[in-house]
Amino acid sequence: ATMALAWAALVAAVALAARGAAAADAKACDGVYLSDYHHTDALVAFAEALEREYPQHVRKFELSKRSALGRPLVGVELSHDISAVRPLEPQVKYVANMHGDETVGRELLVRLACYLVERYRDHTDFIKHDQQTLEAEGNVFSNELWTSPDEQGHRRTSLTEKMRQANVDAEHADADTAARLLTTTRISLLFSMNPDGFEADRRENGNHVDLNRDFPDQYTDPDKPDHLCQNETQAVMKWIRDNNFVLSANMHGGSVVANYAWDGEPHGIDRYNGAPDDAMFRQMATSYASHNTEMLQNPEFKNGITNGAAWYVLYGGMQDWNYIHADCLELTLELSYVKHPHGALLPRFWLDNRRSMLTLLMQVQSGVWGTVVDSSGTPVGDAIVSVRGISKTVRTEEHFGNFYRLLTPGMWEVSVSKSGFQTHVAMLDVGYDNMHTVHDVVLHGDSEAAYEEGKGRLAPTPPLETDHRHRPD
């Protein structure tokens, strides 16, 4: 009996050591593309593991407040060099699971985090889960298409191989995009804004509040103080204010469409209410929908996109708040007709949305990028960047004097101004295919103009400059 107990203990110890070694060798993204839903603890563990595995590219973060029931709001920040804050590195973000029972987005972001760092590491790899999917897709052709068994077999092989090659090419193109994104952009992914709702499988948070009706609203409650908002809303607003996000999307479920501002309408009527950057919003929405077949073919929405108020009026939403208070252009993405689909369907949602997610983030390359300095070369923060014909302005970042003005292709008159400086005006040619125009600005102070006048020479009015420089990265 003693020998048996000793043997059993030895076997248990060996098994425990083997499990420990396997766990030590496990990678953060092992099996993630085929996995089921991650609960809150698993999301935290995933973010920690990804940061350990890719310390140069990944930083795990938690927002400043926890959920109503004390759960962390966790995400990851991704960059070519996560430790360095670089000039001309625009920030973008995705936020998922704002409504707890709308679940696809949180798992898409887990997969997106893995995809970005893995493809950056080696973007020529072909992902095994896509190969498996291609095997399944090779059987979608109906026998009714052909009559001759020999001809049928030959033609099916030919079409399957063509489809396989097309998907290989698409994978390589997406991998190139992912690597480019991580090289040029700082990407933040908040996996779940509403972990309490997810764990309870309900829309509202732990206090039974709909978080997408909880933000200050330009029409109904523009001066709503932060302390009257839910913990989750307060934490997200602080996070956004502490950063300089340029482009964003929040992920929902219940339909399949890309929704853009405004969501609200001054008289509460369901009708089109375009924001000042309506053309850019439509370009962003189209960039997402055009690569998602189900969205693009949704019979309810032409081209898979909709103005929010034209669909239904919503007050207190996060999308409009981002644009008004943070100069961040945000979409609301409805990704599944079923709000909480079975976990077995998640790989299909990933394949349906992967290219769309990457393409939308690449929209940050559209428009004009630049740095504003004074005549001594010191960055000028909080300068106002205006575009003729668009009432919305953006401001330069405080430390580097950077600005990112998203614009559709065409000629635009852009001005940069700040109290104490002469206004700078330029005609800029914004190109196509995510090729932003670079336009750096030197602002000359009013005191310099006064000095010129004192010497008897009137300081000239700054000329209207024309800039045709494009930069693809």
Side-chain angles (χ1 to χ4, degrees):
T2 302
M3 287 291 293
L5 288 173
W7 178 253
L10 178 60
V11 169
V14 170
L16 183 62
R19 286 196 298 272
D25 293 337
K27 304 297 184 183
C29 297
D30 284 352
V32 74
Y33 298 103
L34 298 173
S35 65
D36 205 335
Y37 288 102
H38 292 69
H39 286 268
T40 303
D41 290 346
L43 281 182
V44 173
F46 167 76
E48 292 172 345
L50 197 67
E51 182 183 54
R52 284 195 303 271
E53 190 172 343
Y54 297 95
Q56 184 180 353
H57 308 308
V58 179
R59 182 182 70 85
K60 174 225 174 196
F61 66 84
E62 291 186 15
L63 298 193
S64 58
K65 286 180 176 286
R66 293 197 160 209
S67 70
L69 299 182
R71 293 186 173 95
L73 307 181
V74 65
V76 291
E77 185 179 9
L78 312 172
S79 175
H80 164 68
D81 183 355
I82 201 65
S83 64
V85 179
R86 299 180 296 169
L88 291 182
E89 184 185 39
Q91 291 182 266
V92 296
K93 64 181 169 71
Y94 278 128
V95 177
N97 201 209
M98 187 181 196
H99 290 147
D101 61 345
E102 298 171 12
T103 56
V104 170
R106 65 189 275 143
E107 296 306 321
L108 291 183
L109 295 191
V110 169
R111 288 156 170 79
L112 181 61
C114 284
Y115 189 80
L116 287 166
V117 294
E118 288 180 337
R119 296 292 76 81
Y120 181 80
R121 179 191 62 193
D122 184 3
H123 65 268
T124 60
D125 284 349
F126 187 74
I127 300 175
K128 290 182 179 180
H129 81 279
D130 280 345
Q131 292 176 315
Q132 295 166 355
T133 301
L134 292 175
E135 291 292 340
E137 288 179 341
N139 297 320
V140 301
F141 300 107
S142 169
N143 289 340
E144 296 175 359
L145 292 176
W146 305 283
T147 56
S148 166
D150 293 337
E151 183 184 6
Q152 172 187 333
H154 172 73
R155 292 179 66 180
R156 176 177 294 184
T157 300
S158 176
L159 287 171
T160 301
E161 288 305 317
K162 288 181 180 178
M163 183 180 66
R164 183 186 302 279
Q165 186 57 51
N167 279 272
V168 169
D169 293 343
E171 167 62 26
H172 288 170
D174 288 353
D176 288 341
T177 301
R180 183 177 168 193
L181 277 168
L182 218 59
T183 302
T184 61
T185 316
R186 187 166 290 254
I187 303 166
S188 294
L189 309 175
L190 181 63
F191 300 126
S192 176
M193 185 177 168
N194 185 4
D196 297 346
F198 175 80
E199 300 298 341
D201 197 23
R202 67 163 177 255
R203 178 183 182 89
E204 300 84 6
N205 74 342
N207 290 332
H208 299 276
V209 173
D210 185 335
L211 297 178
N212 208 30
R213 307 293 187 276
D214 192 45
F215 284 77
D217 187 271
Q218 61 176 329
Y219 298 120
T220 62
D221 198 359
D223 299 319
K224 181 178 182 179
D226 285 8
H227 72 270
L228 294 183
C229 299
Q230 295 296 299
N231 277 6
E232 298 90 340
T233 308
Q234 292 183 49
V236 165
M237 290 194 297
K238 183 179 187 305
W239 175 50
I240 293 169
R241 289 167 179 151
D242 288 346
N243 289 276
N244 185 31
F245 295 115
V246 181
L247 179 149
S248 173
N250 68 86
M251 296 177 161
H252 290 256
S255 186
V256 182
V257 66
N259 178 104
Y260 56 91
W262 299 112
D263 274 337
E265 201 279 334
H267 306 291
I269 301 171
D270 293 346
R271 61 185 178 187
Y272 200 106
N273 187 26
D277 280 288
D278 187 64
M280 188 64 215
F281 273 120
R282 285 188 281 111
Q283 177 174 299
M284 289 167 52
T286 300
S287 77
Y288 197 97
S290 62
H291 294 290
N292 183 309
T293 301
E294 188 173 32
M295 188 176 289
L296 187 63
Q297 296 178 354
N298 186 340
E300 185 179 357
F301 303 104
K302 184 178 180 180
N303 298 324
I305 69 174
T306 185
N307 174 259
W311 186 13
Y312 65 90
V313 172
L314 180 161
Y315 297 118
M318 181 167 66
Q319 174 179 272
D320 290 3
W321 186 90
N322 265 273
Y323 183 55
I324 295 169
H325 295 277
D327 297 341
C328 178
L329 277 67
E330 177 166 286
L331 299 182
T332 299
L333 302 173
E334 303 281 351
L335 300 176
S336 60
Y337 290 108
V338 177
K339 292 187 175 186
H340 192 155
H342 193 280
L345 299 175
L346 292 173
R348 179 74 261 173
F349 281 109
W350 163 245
L351 291 178
D352 288 346
N353 287 277
R354 182 187 70 204
R355 175 163 287 190
S356 292
M357 289 190 290
L358 296 172
T359 303
L360 176 58
L361 293 183
M362 283 299 297
Q363 288 292 304
V364 79
Q365 301 283 342
S366 304
V368 180
W369 293 15
T371 300
V372 180
V373 299
D374 64 18
S375 56
S376 70
T378 302
V380 177
D382 208 35
I384 298 171
V385 180
S386 306
V387 179
R388 181 182 289 275
I390 300 177
S391 59
K392 174 68 174 174
T393 62
V394 302
R395 292 178 181 268
T396 57
E397 185 268 340
E398 191 65 36
H399 299 290
F400 295 114
N402 297 335
F403 69 91
Y404 311 93
R405 187 59 175 96
L406 300 188
L407 292 167
T408 56
M411 293 294 297
W412 296 95
E413 182 180 315
V414 177
S415 62
V416 180
S417 62
K418 185 172 183 178
S419 178
F421 293 90
Q422 301 174 67
T423 298
H424 171 92
V425 184
M427 285 296 298
L428 304 178
D429 182 9
V430 173
Y432 290 83
D433 298 327
N434 300 320
M435 293 180 64
H436 60 267
T437 294
V438 180
H439 187 69
D440 297 326
V441 175
V442 178
L443 288 183
H444 296 282
D446 287 342
S447 59
E448 297 173 77
Y451 175 73
E452 291 293 323
E453 291 175 6
K455 294 196 298 181
R457 297 195 304 272
L458 182 64
T461 301
L464 188 65
E465 296 186 12
T466 303
D467 198 324
H468 300 280
R469 290 179 298 155
H470 296 147
R471 185 161 68 192
D473 294 320

